[in-house]
Amino acid sequence: MSLLEVDSLSIQFGGLVALDGVSFEVEAGAIMGLIGPNGAGKTTVFNCMTGVYVPTAGSITFEEHDLLQMQPHQIIGTGVARTFQNLELFGSMSVLENLLVGQHSSMRANLLDCLLRLPRAVNEQRQARDRAGEVLEFLNLSEHRDVPVAGLPFGLKKRVELARALVSSPRLILLDEPANGLSHEEVNDLIELIRSLRDEFLVTVLLVEHHMGLVMAVSDKVSVLDFGRKIAEGTPNEVQQNPAVIEAYLGAPRAQPE
Amino acid sequence: MRRALLQPRVLWFSLLGVVLIVFPYAHGWPLFDGSINNLGFFTVEITEFRTFNLTMFGVWFLVVMSMNLLTGSSGQISLGHAAVVLVGAYTTGILFVEFGVPLALAVIVAGVFTGVVGGVLIGLPGARLAGPYLAIATFSLIITMPQILKLNGIDSLTNGALGIGIRPVEAPDFVNDVLGAVTGGAVAVDGRQWIYYMTIGTAVLMAVLLWNLTRSRIGRAFVALRDSEIGAEQMGVNVPFYKALAFGISSFYAGIGGGLFFVVQTFVAPESLRFNDSILFLLAVVIGGLGSILGSVFGALFLAFQAELISNLPDWIPGLSRVRDFERLSPVIYGSLLIVTILTFPRGLAGIVQSVRSLGRGGRNGALDLPLLSPIRGALRNLSAGLLGNSDSDGRGKKE
Ligand SMILES: Nc1ncnc2c1ncn2[C@@H]1O[C@H](COP(=O)(O)OP(=O)(O)OP(=O)(O)O)[C@@H](O)[C@H]1O
Ligand SMILES: [Mg+2]
């Protein structure tokens, strides 16, 4: 059984069919690419997985969890963490504090612990700081630890989001256009980074991306969506040569984000 | 290293503590008797009345902390906070007068009751409402509150339009017995001083608790859901629950503040606190500084002394004394104050203090736009650009 199984996922917004019977599987330890032209439904897949949207049909199973039965805030506790296409950071907080919120679901201190700074609150907070420190180190963010996130440049913000997702020790991470806005060198670093996510952190990666160089370099398998339907799936090579994919990308030219 | 950092702070807090403790006696001392006239532009009289002033400061401090937790930290705007404070005041009065519960216990029970009511009856349904709708819902709360308090059936408890009054509190005998024995009869505590100590003590204690809370996973969850609701939710924060929790804790603080308000004023009536006061509370939070305890201190100082400041204005601004009934202009003054604050120092007086301190340390200036205020700032900028006819094109009002 695969780590993640998405089966016949469908959702409509008013008359618009955003997803139409999309199915795919992600093996544990894989890096899987999810591509498609603008508006194909990639982000919508993420939003269905994490409870932001409730699909009209289909099922999503992560390990033994039926994700569609869960509240949005419970998803991260199962081991699925995500980043956002448009940043959803906590702007007034420091980088460190963002990473502490990233560990919210694994912390247990209750109201009384927090008000009185009882040992449970103090201890788990110390552990959470240590854990955040490790992740910041790994992502080269240590020097920005105490800086309010709102003032950071875009590229760093994207990295903080990645750190915030990673700090919860997920088994599956959903990355929504991590290369967006990055320079050429930064994309090369990102390729290394995504590989090390899997190899060192043992995280399975589901990657939504428009940067084809990146997707083709890191993915074991790529799924292609167009107008809410899966039109192809295979190795990067197979997908690149698939006529339906070429048609989707070239047939109806649509603006690519920079 | 840590110890060295701590030292000056400990010193300052100790000094503040000593001042707060001796304050109710200062008016009897040689230097302070009567008045210290004319500090250049302002006459400060240290009289017995100042003890009452500072007691009210303690009450307002609790109320502003309450408002600041709700609006400053968790980003929920309530226009009905005066109603929540009223619930605390009335609960205390009813428990004491009708059920003979000792006052101190009555205040605590009133705080818990108000917290539960605020969290469950306002916070939970309110958590589903987006900003403006919550503001409207809470607005209707404060508007209907006097009617609710005067309802048939309830009025047997609340005493209808007449309100509830009590005799001024006296210090417990054992306190004066002990003090008398220790100091050989030199020091005694009268009722006014006693309620001062109780109020300030409670306020300081609850400030410490709030300080702890803001540095915990729960306090961070409040700010997180303010900054990005979806981000917080996806990081595991149960957003409706935490919104209601913020409302509940905030209402607990407001309830304690309301209980002490009743004890200090010895009276509460349906119109003791009105919509105007709700607005003043919000104003105090913004002027003091959103989301910070220092901000709440400034906000409470503002509430405690605003009436006096306004009535002193003609002494400073010569033309004003010729304006008849100029006190009635106070909403205009408050409105201007609010706009100037939001435009020039969005983090309030506390933000100014923090900037000055971080400049002193050579650190970077944390001049951050708070998410809560940036839309208001943007709108105000556009408005002022429109009124003044200059296009403010540096884009400071825009989002990044
Ligand atoms: N909340 C919503 N309400 C209405 N329509 C929506 C909503 N969310 C997504 N859509 C629509 O669903 C379709 C798929 O959107 P989605 O964001 O998943 O695309 P995407 O593949 O991520 O595109 P991009 O590459 O531009 O990010 C689009 O047509 C979009 O307009
Ligand atoms: Mg998208």
Side-chain angles (χ1 to χ4, degrees):
Chain A
M1 195 183 129
S2 306
L3 183 75
L4 175 74
E5 293 181 1
V6 174
D7 189 30
S8 323
L9 197 62
S10 298
I11 185 170
Q12 291 97 36
F13 297 106
L16 179 92
V17 181
L19 292 177
D20 186 6
V22 172
S23 304
F24 62 90
E25 298 185 3
V26 184
E27 303 295 329
I31 298 177
M32 163 113 172
L34 187 59
I35 64 171
N38 290 121
K42 306 176 297 291
T43 301
T44 304
V45 170
F46 280 10
N47 282 333
C48 289
M49 290 180 61
T50 59
V52 178
Y53 296 157
V54 180
T56 39
S59 72
I60 303 175
T61 317
F62 172 72
E63 293 179 332
E64 73 279 16
H65 305 287
D66 178 357
L67 295 190
L68 296 185
Q69 291 303 313
M70 307 186 98
Q71 296 285 313
H73 70 271
Q74 294 171 326
I75 302 291
I76 195 170
T78 67
V80 180
R82 72 178 288 190
T83 66
F84 298 85
Q85 182 173 353
N86 306 308
L87 301 163
E88 292 291 349
L89 285 164
F90 312 125
S92 69
M93 294 186 178
S94 71
V95 172
L96 174 69
E97 287 168 326
N98 270 269
L99 267 61
L100 292 180
V101 179
Q103 298 172 77
H104 180 87
S105 63
S106 61
M107 294 167 83
R108 290 283 161 268
N110 60 30
L111 183 57
L112 205 63
D113 297 329
C114 292
L115 283 172
L116 300 175
R117 283 181 68 79
L118 295 181
R120 172 154 57 168
V122 176
N123 291 338
E124 75 174 9
Q125 181 128 319
R126 190 182 321 113
Q127 283 165 12
R129 280 168 171 269
D130 292 347
R131 166 82 187 141
E134 287 167 16
V135 173
L136 291 177
E137 188 80 21
F138 172 71
L139 289 174
N140 271 327
L141 284 167
S142 296
E143 61 174 308
H144 306 290
R145 206 185 97 121
D146 298 313
V147 180
V149 162
L152 292 175
F154 187 75
L156 277 180
K157 282 183 179 162
K158 289 230 82 135
R159 226 190 302 161
V160 174
E161 265 215 343
L162 182 58
R164 188 182 63 178
L166 208 52
V167 80
S168 66
S169 310
R171 265 158 294 130
L172 172 66
I173 193 165
L174 314 177
L175 303 177
D176 201 342
E177 304 198 12
N180 182 17
L182 298 192
S183 71
H184 190 66
E185 282 101 85
E186 286 173 323
V187 170
N188 286 336
D189 291 345
L190 187 62
I191 291 177
E192 289 310 307
L193 183 69
I194 292 176
R195 285 188 180 136
S196 62
L197 285 186
R198 175 189 46 195
D199 300 338
E200 289 171 37
F201 284 75
L202 307 176
V203 186
T204 304
V205 180
L206 181 55
L207 171 69
V208 163
E209 188 49 74
H210 281 291
H211 193 293
M212 286 307 144
L214 174 71
V215 181
M216 297 308 167
V218 298
S219 305
D220 305 312
K221 197 167 77 167
V222 177
S223 248
V224 188
L225 295 184
D226 190 26
F227 289 118
R229 283 187 201 195
K230 186 165 95 172
I231 56 167
E233 182 172 286
T235 64
N237 251 331
E238 289 165 2
V239 162
Q240 274 169 305
Q241 277 149 26
N242 186 315
V245 177
I246 296 170
E247 163 81 25
Y249 272 96
L250 300 180
R254 272 165 282 195
Q256 296 279 306
E258 79 288 14
Chain B
M1 167 77 186
R2 168 158 267 200
R3 213 157 266 277
L5 275 177
L6 225 61
Q7 286 306 350
R9 211 195 239 181
V10 169
L11 206 68
W12 280 115
F13 277 119
S14 315
L15 191 66
L16 183 64
V18 171
V19 169
L20 286 176
I21 289 174
V22 302
F23 188 84
Y25 294 91
H27 64 88
W29 295 352
L31 193 62
F32 295 104
D33 60 348
S35 59
I36 317 177
N37 270 318
N38 257 331
L39 289 179
F41 62 98
F42 190 42
T43 315
V44 184
E45 294 178 47
I46 306 283
T47 62
E48 268 187 297
F49 177 67
R50 290 293 171 206
T51 303
F52 174 77
N53 250 190
L54 262 200
T55 311
M56 279 312 290
F57 161 79
V59 171
W60 296 136
F61 184 33
L62 286 162
V63 172
V64 178
M65 280 194 287
S66 153
M67 190 86 224
N68 215 341
L69 176 68
L70 186 70
T71 303
S73 297
S74 87
Q76 305 181 81
I77 296 182
S78 161
L79 296 179
H81 226 56
V84 182
V85 179
L86 265 186
V87 171
Y90 264 99
T91 310
T92 305
I94 293 169
L95 285 175
F96 178 69
V97 174
E98 299 289 327
F99 299 98
V101 179
L103 257 187
L105 185 62
V107 172
I108 294 169
V109 175
V112 174
F113 175 76
T114 311
V116 173
V117 167
V120 176
L121 294 188
I122 314 173
L124 271 185
R128 314 272 164 192
L129 299 177
Y133 302 102
L134 180 66
I136 292 168
T138 48
F139 170 72
S140 58
L141 188 71
I142 183 63
I143 295 301
T144 50
M145 199 64 187
Q147 270 60 50
I148 295 174
L149 288 166
K150 286 182 265 189
L151 276 182
N152 269 334
I154 294 183
D155 64 351
S156 61
L157 283 175
T158 61
N159 210 10
L162 296 176
I164 304 175
I166 54 171
R167 267 183 292 137
V169 178
E170 287 302 323
D173 288 340
F174 78 89
V175 173
N176 275 321
D177 292 347
V178 172
L179 263 183
V182 173
T183 62
V187 179
V189 181
D190 66 23
R192 181 181 279 188
Q193 290 163 334
W194 176 247
I195 185 63
Y196 164 85
Y197 288 124
M198 290 295 104
T199 306
I200 294 291
T202 307
V204 168
L205 179 74
M206 289 184 64
V208 172
L209 296 184
L210 191 60
W211 173 269
N212 289 342
L213 187 72
T214 50
R215 272 149 199 78
S216 73
R217 74 187 272 271
I218 295 179
R220 279 191 302 271
F222 293 156
V223 180
L225 69 86
R226 176 195 76 189
D227 284 4
S228 164
E229 209 164 288
I230 183 161
E233 176 187 69
Q234 301 275 285
M235 291 305 123
V237 175
N238 183 347
V239 170
F241 173 80
Y242 273 86
K243 280 187 171 178
L245 183 65
F247 227 113
I249 301 171
S250 168
S251 302
F252 172 67
Y253 274 69
I256 298 278
L260 288 167
F261 175 86
F262 168 73
V263 177
V264 173
Q265 304 271 345
T266 68
F267 179 66
V268 64
E271 319 244 324
S272 291
L273 292 166
R274 287 166 304 168
F275 175 61
N276 290 13
D277 298 287
S278 276
I279 297 296
L280 272 185
F281 298 160
L282 263 181
L283 191 63
V285 168
V286 174
I287 290 178
L290 283 165
S292 99
I293 295 202
L294 184 63
S296 297
V297 173
F298 286 127
L301 285 173
F302 166 75
L303 284 185
F305 294 103
Q306 44 96 9
E308 190 175 343
L309 283 179
I310 295 256
S311 64
N312 270 326
L313 275 184
D315 298 346
W316 308 340
I317 306 171
L320 266 189
S321 50
R322 269 177 275 128
V323 180
R324 267 207 313 144
D325 290 343
F326 107 97
E327 262 102 356
R328 284 179 30 211
L329 290 178
S330 59
V332 178
I333 299 174
Y334 294 142
S336 324
L337 209 55
L338 186 64
I339 292 178
V340 168
T341 307
I342 292 178
L343 286 181
T344 56
F345 47 105
R347 306 179 74 187
L349 291 168
I352 295 184
V353 171
Q354 278 151 8
S355 302
V356 169
R357 274 178 45 183
S358 67
L359 279 183
R361 274 192 257 109
R364 63 176 84 209
N365 187 343
L368 249 185
D369 226 4
L370 287 152
L372 195 68
L373 288 184
S374 43
I376 311 179
R377 281 181 61 138
L380 282 175
R381 269 185 206 290
N382 292 343
L383 190 69
S384 60
L387 287 177
L388 302 176
N390 68 339
S391 57
D392 178 347
S393 55
D394 65 3
R396 272 176 301 161
K398 295 200 195 100
K399 271 190 142 180
E400 17 136 8

